[in-house]
Amino acid sequence: MLNGKHILLGVSSSIACYKSAELVRQYVKAGAEVQVVMTENAARLISPLLFEQLSKHHCITDTFERPAEVKVAHISLADWADVFVIAPADANVIAKFAHGIADDMLSTTMLACDCEKIIAPAMNTKMYDNPATQDNLALLARRGFHIMDTAYGELACGVTGAGRMAEPAQIAEYTELLIGYEKDLAGKKILITSGPTREAMDPVRFITNHSTGKMGTAIARAAAARGAETVIVHGVMEAKVPAGVKAVPVTSAQDMYDAVMAEADSTDIFIMAAAVADYRPKTTADQKMKKKDGELTLELARTKDILGTLGADKKEKWFLCGFSMETEHVLENSRKKLEKKNLDLIVANSIKQAGAGFGTDTNIVTMISKDAEDELPIMSKDDVAHKILDRILEMSGPH
Ligand code: CTP
């Protein structure tokens, strides 16, 4: 999705600048054109030649350079860019950006830049935690800069703590999210449920299912990339919450019900991909249940149907999309759920088909609405996610 995009990459002086080379590689691989601007100190840590080789563009470090390919360097670079990514951003450049200081090529270009901006901080933990840096980051965030979280871990200075730069793959993913898609869901709030729920028997044991959360997170990634305010209410799942998505982690079906209801009034579109347990142990023991001779009979009680509850008291502005995973009579059973839960759309799949269902990267689905049925071929869960969002946009009309 970055094909043909213009990415301006600012590299400042942090040990993490070696990772910027990998970031350039990933951008170029994704089809983007990359132009690198470095601070002079960064150029002492890592050679501009490396970035020139990777980006196939002259790497600029000084304000007074006039490479043939750029006219007034800082202005034309700023105009050229679709996104300005600063990775790594050290404490010094963050402070300069926050206060409008323009005393080298990187900071001068930043001041002239009105495209999207991503900051990936990297520095020693104490420098990162320092109120001066935190205030500067907060100020930049208020001005619309996208600030990536740092990772917690061992830093080059030997300290273990916050301040490690986000991984190149995460920065590339976030860049794609920001500039790779048409923002056709801007102004909409989408709530997605994802992953399994866990219903506790005692403090040690629970009932759950095989859901990994891959389909739900793919939808969240697609919705955020298309500009929706995106919330994912998710059970304990393998899949990672995508960048730019608000995560509400929950455990049981009741937790998920509460979390969804707390967000419901302000939501426009619900896409319920979670595999919610329909039953829970009737009682949860406070202490670990000890084994006894003979069999154990577990009494189960029904959980609340989250989607069913929304459908029963459906607000005018709501679009309700459910998922239906079946082993037989897939379409027939799914149509029944569409009607019973008062849904606009249901996405049906069979876990019996190879390439569909739990834990796979692909899915085979049929989208069913009151008067249409659309059977899709096997495709990645990311592509399925976009197809679902396309259909929802089509059905909810212009906004
Ligand atoms: N769902 C929900 N709350 C529940 C159970 C299900 O919100 N307690 C949602 C699921 O996230 C899914 C849809 O309802 O989007 C269909 O779920 P499914 O479990 O397949 O259907 P059920 O109505 O529970 O019927 P059955 O278990 O008989 O197939």
Side-chain angles (χ1 to χ4, degrees), residues 171-313:
I171 302 173
E173 187 196 352
Y174 194 78
T175 310
E176 186 178 285
L177 181 88
L178 210 57
I179 61 161
Y181 296 85
E182 192 196 333
K183 307 291 175 210
D184 55 1
L185 287 166
K188 297 277 183 200
K189 176 172 171 181
I190 302 192
L191 184 147
I192 295 137
T193 62
S194 182
T197 63
R198 286 180 174 181
E199 311 304 324
M201 286 168 61
D202 68 11
V204 181
R205 306 169 179 99
F206 52 80
I207 299 174
T208 191
N209 56 66
H210 293 293
S211 171
T212 56
K214 279 189 179 172
M215 193 62 243
T217 47
I219 298 167
R221 185 163 36 250
R226 291 168 68 162
E229 177 190 347
T230 309
V231 180
I232 187 166
V233 178
H234 66 90
V236 181
M237 61 180 187
E238 269 173 56
K240 282 209 175 68
V241 174
V245 174
K246 175 181 162 188
V248 184
V250 297
T251 306
S252 67
Q254 181 64 45
D255 297 340
M256 190 171 272
Y257 179 93
D258 294 340
V260 169
M261 294 309 157
E263 300 275 349
D265 276 352
S266 54
T267 297
D268 302 294
I269 298 165
F270 296 81
I271 306 178
M272 312 299 255
V276 188
D278 290 321
Y279 296 92
R280 59 173 173 80
K282 200 165 181 185
T283 54
T284 305
D286 286 339
Q287 306 299 334
K288 183 183 168 195
M289 290 162 61
K290 300 299 286 178
K291 62 178 168 295
K292 297 190 182 105
D293 288 341
E295 290 175 351
L296 170 75
T297 304
L298 191 62
E299 246 195 295
L300 299 176
R302 283 291 300 270
T303 56
K304 284 185 194 151
D305 189 324
I306 308 166
L307 190 51
T309 308
L310 294 170
D313 192 14

